[in-house]
Amino acid sequence: MSSTYYILCLSHDPATVEGECHTAEEAEQRIADGLETHPNCDLAISRHSGAVCEVGCHASKHRKTNLRCYHGGTLWTDADWLLLLAAAHQTTDPTVAAVAARAGHRCWPPERLQRLRLELDLPAAVPPARGPNWQD
Ligand SMILES: [Zn+2]
Ligand SMILES: [Zn+2]
């Protein structure tokens, strides 16, 4: 099955699409080389086959921004799982919220995940759990 890969800039809210590639390796290489127009941005890769299938958080060593996750290669996350995680970040159920917070501390904390809302077709968000400076 053929896929198309897009480089996403998550420093914009919502994320913008910055390039189309035919393989994951090509997208990874372009990120490793650096995007001229997004030199200090938070980049990710989405894989589409018809609809979006997966979103990849690329290797930590090529990253220009601070994230909590560290991985040597691209870490791919299923789009359905990201949708579930986005829903879980908004729950009032403390058990689900605790699990979502733990999962979100890997590649997809709520603020970052929300930037994928156009890609994932997320329902409009209620503001996620607040940080210390939220709405100050
Ligand atoms: Zn950018
Ligand atoms: Zn990651």
Side-chain angles (χ1 to χ4, degrees):
M1 184 163 48
S2 83
S3 295
T4 309
Y5 297 82
Y6 295 97
I7 296 172
L8 305 175
C9 179
L10 294 166
S11 290
H12 301 260
D13 188 10
T16 56
V17 177
E18 300 303 334
E20 185 179 326
C21 304
H22 298 293
T23 63
E25 292 71 24
E26 185 187 343
E28 286 164 343
Q29 191 56 51
R30 285 179 63 179
I31 289 176
D33 293 344
L35 295 196
E36 237 169 74
T37 45
H38 297 263
N40 300 306
C41 289
D42 177 18
L43 303 173
I45 308 167
S46 62
R47 181 171 77 82
H48 293 243
S49 188
V52 57
C53 304
E54 296 179 291
V55 183
C57 181
H58 64 89
S60 309
K61 64 173 184 282
H62 298 134
R63 199 174 285 153
K64 305 293 193 289
T65 51
N66 288 322
L67 289 169
R68 292 182 192 210
C69 56
Y70 289 93
H71 33 87
T74 304
L75 207 68
W76 294 96
T77 306
D78 198 85
D80 289 334
W81 162 248
L82 289 174
L83 276 167
L84 273 175
L85 183 59
H89 278 314
Q90 306 208 18
T91 186
T92 53
D93 180 322
T95 311
V96 176
V99 175
R102 223 164 64 200
H105 284 184
R106 291 181 202 137
C107 298
W108 300 104
E111 327 70 76
R112 196 178 189 218
L113 188 51
Q114 272 304 319
R115 293 180 179 221
L116 289 174
R117 63 186 174 274
L118 299 184
E119 285 289 304
L120 296 174
D121 199 16
L122 287 176
V126 176
R130 49 227 54 195
N133 297 319
W134 189 268
Q135 278 182 346
D136 274 353

